[in-house]
Amino acid sequence: MTEKTRQNTSSYTYEQAGVSIEAGNALVKAIGPLVKATARAGADSEIGGFGGFFDPKAAGYADPLLVAANDGVGTKLKLAIDHDRHDTVGIDLVAMCVNDLIVQGAEPLFFLDYFATGKLENGVAERVIAGIAAGCTEAGCALIGGETAEMPGMYAAGDYDLAGFCVGAVERGEQLTGDRVTPGQVLLGIASSGVHSNGYSLVRRLAKDKMWQLDAPAPFDESCALIDALIEPTRIYVKSLLPLIRSGRIAALAHITGGGLLENIPRVMPAGAHARVDAGAWDQPGLMGFLQDQGNIAAAEMARTFNCGIGMVLVLDEADADSVLADLKAAGETALRIGAVVEGQRGCTVTGGAGCWNRSQAWDAQHLA
């Protein structure tokens, strides 16, 4: 190397390349109390090490099967980013994972998150992670670690992405697999809290094409802004369902996520069992009717895209239906009978007249898995 080359060579730093180690350290320090607040039996919820430990025996399990799930929030994040609604998407992240565990009979034990962005803005990151911690507390699982990735050039300014990973446990022999589902059983539905975290690519397309004023009062509920109705976090069903599962009264559960009612209920139907859902059994929420009306969405498309007001479906014996409904009401859930399991090809049929934003729709759609 010549003397001239040496003189023209400056000393590079990681921060000049767009990554701030100090900002990352500051975030870890800031979220420490949030993480510690999620501690539970089996986890100390300390962060800063290379991994997190969990002791299933300390959590009370004798012979557990471990169940794992991972998920994201999808393009709902774009609505949150564009409208400065960062405080609850962390709840969505946790909900999508823990609700997938509870339907298998598993208690969520610990959670890890992945937060990726082009430039770390600690104010935003703290709000997101605070939501994750709140979701973990609501689900009863410990936030034992995570990863914050600052990756210049990978994301547009202000954008970020989230992924969540959760591990739960169920005592061997008590897992829910659908093998206890038989014709003659009933279907109960638990109300959703909104769109949850699926179908937002369609929601955002409608918002753009129909030029919605998202900060204006919602047409179906003037007490809240339309953006707040759309960003309402996914309901977490763990604490209301876990006692019912452990009581032995639940044959199967279906989390109504992407694919809606038509795609998710058949996932817990064994061969020879067919789910019949009466959409006239519940009033379609105003938000769902608004989406259907704005997009002129066919009833079958609604039933395979959105939860249509039902976030969780329970399958159980007729003899247990009244007691389970009473227990769900006591736990703060809105639940009702929505159908039955009949003999037939494995699948799900949704039928009936249902009020959709003050108008009647004829539902007649079928999915055969």
Side-chain angles (χ1 to χ4, degrees):
M1 182 181 294
T2 66
E3 186 62 31
K4 183 177 180 180
T5 303
R6 287 195 189 94
Q7 291 174 351
N8 292 338
T9 300
S10 58
S11 177
Y12 284 73
T13 67
Y14 208 8
E15 189 159 9
Q16 287 173 338
V19 178
S20 172
I21 295 175
E22 286 76 13
N25 290 338
L27 177 62
V28 170
K29 184 177 181 180
I31 66 175
L34 299 173
V35 173
K36 192 169 180 123
T38 69
R40 56 152 294 158
D44 58 17
S45 293
E46 294 290 340
I47 59 173
F50 290 98
F53 288 97
F54 193 93
D55 182 357
K57 187 174 181 180
Y61 286 89
D63 185 20
L65 293 174
L66 296 182
V67 186
N70 72 298
D71 214 328
V73 183
T75 60
K76 187 175 187 177
L77 281 179
K78 191 60 177 169
L79 280 179
I81 292 166
D82 290 346
H83 295 272
D84 192 30
R85 300 298 202 279
H86 307 287
D87 301 279
T88 59
V89 289
I91 298 175
D92 286 300
L93 183 67
V94 175
M96 294 302 290
C97 295
V98 299
N99 286 342
D100 277 352
L101 291 183
I102 197 67
V103 299
Q104 296 169 93
E107 175 191 10
L109 299 178
F110 60 88
F111 190 89
L112 299 98
D113 69 278
Y114 176 77
F115 179 100
T117 187
K119 180 175 176 55
L120 187 59
E121 299 178 24
N122 280 354
V124 170
E126 286 178 38
R127 290 166 66 187
V128 172
I129 296 171
I132 294 172
C136 286
T137 299
E138 188 176 345
C141 63
L143 178 58
I144 66 170
E147 169 69 6
T148 302
E150 191 173 23
M151 300 185 290
M154 289 287 290
Y155 296 89
D159 280 353
Y160 59 85
D161 200 6
L162 291 174
F165 311 86
C166 195
V167 173
V170 57
E171 292 288 6
R172 192 180 304 274
E174 297 179 7
Q175 63 270 24
L176 299 180
T177 63
D179 61 347
R180 292 167 49 198
V181 174
T182 60
Q185 291 176 327
V186 298
L187 303 177
L188 305 183
I190 306 180
S192 65
S193 55
V195 183
H196 283 186
S197 297
N198 298 102
Y200 277 89
S201 293
L202 178 52
V203 170
R204 290 173 55 246
R205 175 65 181 270
L206 286 172
K208 179 181 178 182
D209 289 354
K210 304 299 181 179
M211 295 183 288
W212 292 348
Q213 299 299 311
L214 294 180
D215 291 326
F220 49 87
D221 183 1
E222 293 190 355
S223 68
C224 71
L226 180 54
I227 181 61
D228 291 326
L230 293 174
I231 214 74
E232 182 73 21
T234 306
R235 190 162 183 83
I236 293 174
Y237 299 101
V238 172
K239 289 185 177 178
S240 56
L241 287 178
L242 195 57
L244 300 178
I245 294 168
R246 289 175 170 170
S247 73
R249 287 175 287 170
I250 306 299
L253 294 164
H255 183 200
I256 309 305
T257 55
L261 296 163
L262 288 177
E263 298 286 343
N264 286 290
I265 298 177
R267 295 168 69 177
V268 298
M269 291 291 116
H274 191 90
R276 288 197 174 274
V277 176
D278 176 14
W282 73 96
D283 292 330
Q284 299 299 304
L287 173 55
M288 295 295 167
F290 172 73
L291 294 173
Q292 184 171 21
D293 182 76
Q294 289 284 291
N296 192 28
I297 303 172
E301 184 69 12
M302 286 292 294
R304 68 189 297 268
T305 303
F306 298 111
N307 62 56
C308 298
I310 301 295
M312 188 71 71
V313 172
L314 294 70
V315 187
L316 63 158
D317 291 339
E318 171 67 45
D320 294 321
D322 288 342
S323 67
V324 168
L325 284 169
D327 287 349
L328 288 171
K329 181 178 180 180
E333 302 288 1
T334 299
L336 68 164
R337 295 171 183 249
I338 64 168
V341 181
V342 298
E343 291 185 2
Q345 193 170 3
R346 181 186 178 215
C348 175
T349 301
V350 180
T351 60
C356 289
W357 202 34
N358 297 321
R359 69 176 185 170
S360 181
Q361 292 289 336
W363 292 45
D364 189 7
Q366 186 171 32
H367 169 81
L368 298 179

